[in-house]
Amino acid sequence: MPSSHFSNGDSESLLRLPLLSSQRSIVNSTSQVAIVGSNVSPIESLDYEVCENEFVKLDWRRRGKAQIFQFIFMKWLLCFFIGMIVCLVGFCNNLAVENLAGIKFVVTSNMMLERRFLLAFLVFFISNLVLTLFAATITALIAPTATGSGIPEVKAYLNGVDAPGIFTIQTLIVKIIGSITAVSSSLLIGKAGPMVHTGACVAALLGQGGSKRYGLTWKWLQFFKNDRDRRDLIICGSAAGMAAAFRAPVGGVLFALEGMASGWRSALLWRAFFTAAIVAILLRAMIDLCLSGRCGLFGKGGLIMFDAYSASVSYHLTDVPPVFLLGVIGGILGSLFNLILSKVLRIYNFVNEKGTIFKILLACVISIFTSCLLFGLPWLTSCRPCPPDPTEPCPTIGRSGIYKKFQCPSNHYNDLASLIFNTNDDAIRNLFSKNTDDEFEFRSVFIFFILCFFLSIFSYGVVAPAGLFVPVIVTGASYGRIVGMLLGKNSSLNHGLYAVLGAASFLGGSMRTTVSLCVIILELTNNLLLLPLIMMVLFISKTVGDAFNANIYDIIMKAKGLPYLGTHAELYTRQLTVGDVVTGPLQTFNGIEKVRNIVFTLKTTGHNGFPVIDEPPISEAPVLFGIILRDHLLTLLKNKAFLSLPIATSTEVFSKFSADDFAKKGSSRVTLKIEDIQLSDEEMDMFIDLHPYANASPYTVVETMSLAKALALFRGLGLRHLLVVPKFPGRSPVVGILTRHDFTPEHVLGLHPFLVRNRGNKLRFFSTLA
């Protein structure tokens, strides 16, 4: 992280060193898949605390009922716009994927019917390669921040980490187009994660009034000029994205609450629920349109179009042990999945560091490998005769379905091709379907499980928008079927139900969320009777997975170097006080400060916040007045709010500035720098009264407070600075400033290396349970 993160005066040379001594040999990286301790792209912290200076207070006092109503109305109006736009994007995304992939499969299948197998393979191979090449090229050249699912970046943003470029308009466009082409290319990736990032991008752009970089701004939307209000909109956008991906509005809201947001309020819950409801209503109308046959090959395809499992469910006490076993297997497989994926991402990182061409070549290699496996593996299984009373036409020709003909003779189908030679959505539908216990052979499902497990790992790290939800669901559903086949007649549950429970257990073992995943699966399957079983497998799989490693998104955030502050503090933080980790020297300003001193401090430090201290004769003894931000100082210097004598500012200053002058300017990286401000020697010898511009009510903690308690306060309130004051009077009124950096394990363990022995999976596991 750059020096602007810290307010504790670490030297520039130390800041450039890797955080972990064990990784000092790792090459620095600027890729999205960066290593912890690497010199990644500049990352700033966000400040969800409202700066209550005199101008903000005056603005609050001047607001009448009409302005308050307008502010509240705009919040709800923007939530409506977010829901509407995200719904349209999600629907068009599914429509495009089903038609692009559908045309590819139809053309290939027609050639297979004509026994032109080599030409069919070439069409399948080339179409997949072209789609992957297009997605990788636009992502690598236009918006590298669109790589991956985007959920780790959005989750880090909601935690207070502002990674550069994640909410720009080019990221949004590439995320949409790249996700469509990458998913259509038969890579084993999903579109749910990119939809969450898309929803967050839409919300962020609307919240700041559009894109300032390209002149696409709407002043009537620029009501939200602080990080807190924009964060709330992005949470609503994340909920809308998940709702649009799975047609699960309640699950989307709960996912934003459980898996994304670091802070939550009841008012925000209502707005997120309203946004997801807009998505559900509009999506239902569009589904009805497609059911009339106006959407090409979309038809009934896609998870948002299909109630995956709607049969009546009856189970007994004897069915509980197999379900318990599913949960244990899901936790083990999920933690193994997370471990292997983290290793693969590190390998991909070294390849990506070599340049853009290597990123694109890596994506093409994965596409070629995937196409060969998808086309070749069905030849290893034998053809099966069509059932006497099939639920669908057998064999399936020219569309998605359970009974894919592939190379088989008439009245026969290839069960492995029915899973592989389909979109991921159709594969999940086939696995979840009821009354299909005899439709798939054990060998075919086992091959499919191994294929999905490893291809989903190797496909995720390519330079293209790629989600993990759908690959994890299809992998879990396949091994759930395997368990059902092994149990056979010993269980009263059918194989489709085991597939649903397997998907739930693998999701819980990898992503470690419970409530939101439970509701999402219930909304997908449209069967409330599954609730007890799904709750049990999710709880067991999450508990087992937590014993081995962290959830997949936390692992990816750590790999990317995003300083995320987790919910559960490490046990060693209870042994330390904030005074044990705060470092210096501390940079402060007097209440009335000389311009020259301010300019020198801003040029020689990268700190974002500076304590303002009143000393005699202004006060009887040194006292902490508040904190002033770097951006506010730059605004004062640019507008030359100077005084010739060190006296208090008159009321005339309130006519020169307004609260808007100190508002957050949005996510634009074109910011004012101290080097851009030119001052004469006469102006350098003048003064600035900082009292009206400083936040006079900053959050403070006493130096004897435990680090764990301070972390809970820092994370829960979304702070950027936390002032540390002395326990006893007579000393300086402020000891130091705690920033995000001071809570990271690398910083704490660097100061107190004897605590390293107290870290480990077991302690983290028990801390999580607590």
Side-chain angles (χ1 to χ4, degrees):
M1 293 183 294
S3 59
S4 58
H5 279 195
F6 321 130
S7 300
N8 298 320
D10 297 275
S11 67
E12 191 70 24
S13 60
L14 289 177
L15 285 173
R16 291 178 179 175
L17 290 177
L19 295 176
L20 298 181
S21 58
S22 61
Q23 294 176 344
R24 291 184 185 275
S25 62
I26 294 176
V27 181
N28 286 344
S29 168
T30 56
S31 69
Q32 278 295 293
V33 186
I35 306 301
V36 175
S38 297
N39 183 23
V40 296
S41 300
I43 296 174
E44 291 288 340
S45 292
L46 297 164
D47 193 353
Y48 294 136
E49 176 193 6
V50 177
C51 180
E52 296 181 358
N53 59 26
E54 293 298 328
F55 294 91
V56 173
K57 294 177 181 178
L58 181 63
D59 182 62
W60 287 345
R61 289 192 293 266
R62 287 176 175 174
R63 288 186 182 182
K65 292 183 178 180
Q67 290 176 307
I68 295 175
F69 172 80
Q70 187 179 21
F71 181 76
I72 297 175
F73 175 77
M74 286 302 301
K75 282 188 175 182
W76 289 94
L77 182 62
L78 281 182
C79 287
F80 174 81
F81 284 153
I82 292 169
M84 181 179 65
I85 295 173
V86 173
C87 175
L88 289 172
V89 171
F91 177 79
C92 294
N93 192 327
N94 280 271
L95 186 67
V97 169
E98 290 291 325
N99 280 283
L100 271 177
I103 292 173
K104 175 184 65 180
F105 286 126
V106 167
V107 172
T108 306
S109 298
N110 290 337
M111 293 180 178
M112 297 284 288
L113 291 175
E114 299 172 0
R115 318 297 292 181
R116 301 163 68 183
F117 299 125
L118 179 59
L119 184 59
F121 171 73
L122 290 177
V123 170
F124 182 72
F125 169 85
I126 294 175
S127 59
N128 287 340
L129 183 60
V130 169
L131 289 170
T132 303
L133 179 62
F134 177 78
T137 302
I138 63 172
T139 305
L141 297 180
I142 300 177
T145 50
T147 302
S149 69
I151 290 181
E153 289 85 353
V154 178
K155 186 176 180 179
Y157 182 94
L158 298 178
N159 189 254
V161 180
D162 188 14
I166 61 173
F167 293 139
T168 60
I169 191 168
Q170 61 263 40
T171 298
L172 174 62
I173 295 173
V174 171
K175 201 77 179 185
I176 297 172
I177 300 176
S179 176
I180 292 173
T181 52
V183 174
S184 301
S185 69
S186 293
L187 291 176
L188 199 63
I189 55 179
K191 51 186 179 290
M195 274 305 304
V196 173
H197 191 185
T198 297
C201 284
V202 171
L205 290 171
L206 287 178
Q208 67 183 25
S211 175
K212 297 180 180 179
R213 180 176 180 180
Y214 298 100
L216 303 174
T217 56
W218 306 278
K219 292 189 178 298
W220 60 278
L221 286 179
Q222 295 177 12
F223 272 77
F224 309 106
K225 300 176 181 179
N226 58 74
D227 290 330
R228 176 186 290 183
D229 289 331
R230 291 170 185 157
R231 173 195 62 181
D232 293 350
L233 288 175
I234 289 172
I235 291 175
C236 294
S238 302
M242 185 58 69
F246 288 120
R247 202 186 67 183
V250 180
V253 174
L254 292 176
F255 178 79
L257 166 62
E258 182 184 13
M260 302 292 291
S262 297
W264 198 262
R265 307 188 314 277
S266 58
L268 178 58
L269 176 64
W270 273 106
R271 289 201 296 274
F273 185 78
F274 171 74
T275 308
I278 296 297
V279 173
I281 293 170
L282 295 179
L283 198 58
R284 183 72 260 177
M286 295 177 185
I287 289 173
D288 291 339
L289 176 67
C290 280
L291 290 177
S292 63
R294 303 177 185 177
C295 297
L297 295 173
F298 196 23
K300 295 182 179 180
L303 281 176
I304 66 169
M305 302 290 293
F306 188 74
D307 297 329
Y309 188 88
S310 56
S312 298
V313 179
S314 60
Y315 47 88
H316 309 284
L317 189 61
T318 56
D319 296 316
V320 173
V323 175
F324 183 89
L325 178 63
L326 265 180
V328 174
I329 296 174
I332 296 173
L333 286 177
S335 58
L336 179 63
F337 180 88
N338 294 355
L339 176 64
I340 299 176
L341 180 59
S342 65
K343 303 298 183 183
V344 171
L345 291 181
R346 285 182 178 271
I347 296 172
Y348 282 5
N349 181 62
F350 291 114
V351 176
N352 293 335
E353 283 177 345
K354 297 182 182 298
T356 301
I357 188 65
F358 287 91
K359 297 180 184 179
I360 299 174
L361 286 176
L362 177 61
C364 292
V365 168
I366 298 299
S367 174
I368 294 170
F369 182 67
T370 301
S371 297
C372 293
L373 286 178
L374 296 185
F375 195 89
L377 287 177
W379 295 86
L380 301 179
T381 59
S382 58
C383 296
R384 295 170 58 86
C386 292
D389 296 315
T391 56
E392 297 181 2
C394 180
T396 303
I397 299 174
R399 62 181 183 86
S400 60
I402 296 178
Y403 310 105
K404 281 288 186 178
K405 183 177 174 60
F406 205 65
Q407 88 289 7
C408 297
S410 58
N411 296 324
H412 287 72
Y413 70 98
N414 189 312
D415 58 342
L416 184 55
S418 299
L419 299 175
I420 287 180
F421 228 59
N422 259 324
T423 62
N424 293 331
D425 294 349
D426 291 325
I428 295 173
R429 183 180 63 174
N430 293 342
L431 291 169
F432 280 8
S433 296
K434 61 182 179 179
N435 300 326
T436 57
D437 290 5
D438 299 324
E439 311 297 341
F440 300 98
E441 287 185 345
F442 178 84
R443 181 175 64 172
S444 299
V445 179
F446 183 77
I447 293 174
F448 184 66
F449 164 67
I450 298 298
L451 176 73
C452 292
F453 186 86
F454 288 102
L455 274 188
S456 58
I457 291 174
F458 288 104
S459 300
Y460 179 76
V462 301
V463 58
L468 284 172
F469 258 93
V470 171
V472 168
I473 290 176
V474 72
T475 305
S478 58
Y479 91 75
R481 277 252 174 184
I482 292 174
V483 173
M485 291 177 177
L486 292 175
L487 291 173
K489 302 298 183 181
N490 296 322
S491 175
S492 60
L493 305 179
N494 66 61
H495 297 173
L497 177 55
Y498 273 110
V500 174
L501 297 177
S505 66
F506 199 37
L507 283 169
S510 176
M511 300 183 180
R512 312 290 164 76
T513 53
T514 53
V515 179
S516 58
L517 289 178
C518 182
V519 175
I520 288 173
I521 294 173
L522 288 177
E523 290 183 289
L524 279 178
T525 57
N526 196 28
N527 197 327
L528 194 60
L529 296 175
L530 296 176
L531 179 61
L533 297 178
I534 294 176
M535 290 176 66
M536 185 171 72
V537 296
L538 282 171
F539 177 78
I540 295 171
S541 61
K542 180 187 185 304
T543 305
V544 172
D546 281 335
F548 294 99
N549 50 31
N551 71 73
I552 186 60
Y553 295 127
D554 285 354
I555 291 175
I556 294 174
M557 279 190 293
K558 184 177 181 180
K560 291 184 176 182
L562 300 174
Y564 181 83
L565 298 180
T567 306
H568 303 284
E570 297 276 5
L571 293 182
Y572 62 77
T573 59
R574 293 179 172 85
Q575 307 173 28
L576 299 173
T577 65
V578 295
D580 294 327
V581 299
V582 68
T583 57
L586 180 66
Q587 299 288 342
T588 63
F589 288 128
N590 293 321
I592 302 177
E593 187 60 80
K594 200 170 187 178
V595 174
R596 186 181 302 277
N597 295 338
I598 296 176
V599 172
F600 176 79
T601 302
L602 293 181
K603 285 185 176 181
T604 55
T605 68
H607 305 339
N608 181 71
F610 302 89
V612 177
I613 297 176
D614 282 334
E615 296 181 341
I618 297 178
S619 61
E620 296 181 358
V623 61
L624 174 65
F625 177 82
I627 186 172
I628 189 165
L629 301 182
R630 185 184 192 89
D631 289 343
H632 296 179
L633 289 171
L634 291 173
T635 300
L636 297 177
L637 293 175
K638 179 183 179 181
N639 291 277
K640 301 184 178 181
F642 304 150
L643 302 171
S644 56
L645 297 175
I647 56 176
T649 303
S650 64
T651 57
E652 295 178 358
V653 70
F654 295 104
S655 61
K656 186 174 183 180
F657 292 100
S658 66
D660 290 345
D661 295 317
F662 303 99
K664 188 74 178 285
K665 299 299 189 294
S667 61
S668 175
R669 289 288 154 185
V670 183
T671 57
L672 182 63
K673 298 179 181 179
I674 183 63
E675 291 77 14
D676 300 330
I677 300 175
Q678 302 296 327
L679 299 174
S680 64
D681 290 338
E682 182 181 357
E683 291 171 333
M684 295 284 277
D685 290 328
M686 299 179 76
F687 300 88
I688 299 180
D689 182 8
L690 301 180
H691 293 96
Y693 317 102
N695 180 5
S697 56
Y699 285 96
T700 61
V701 295
V702 69
E703 60 183 338
T704 54
M705 177 183 285
S706 72
L707 189 61
K709 193 173 182 180
L711 173 60
L713 177 67
F714 190 92
R715 185 183 188 276
L717 296 175
L719 303 180
R720 183 169 186 173
H721 310 99
L722 185 59
L723 300 183
V724 181
V725 297
K727 176 72 172 180
F728 303 103
R731 300 168 53 187
S732 171
V734 58
V735 176
I737 299 181
L738 288 174
T739 61
R740 179 173 298 270
H741 164 71
D742 297 301
F743 294 102
T744 58
E746 293 77 21
H747 172 72
V748 177
L749 297 177
L751 294 176
H752 305 281
F754 66 92
L755 293 172
V756 174
R757 66 178 182 269
N758 291 331
R759 302 187 74 213
N761 286 330
K762 291 183 178 179
L763 288 179
R764 184 193 54 77
F765 170 57
F766 289 118
S767 177
T768 301
L769 290 181

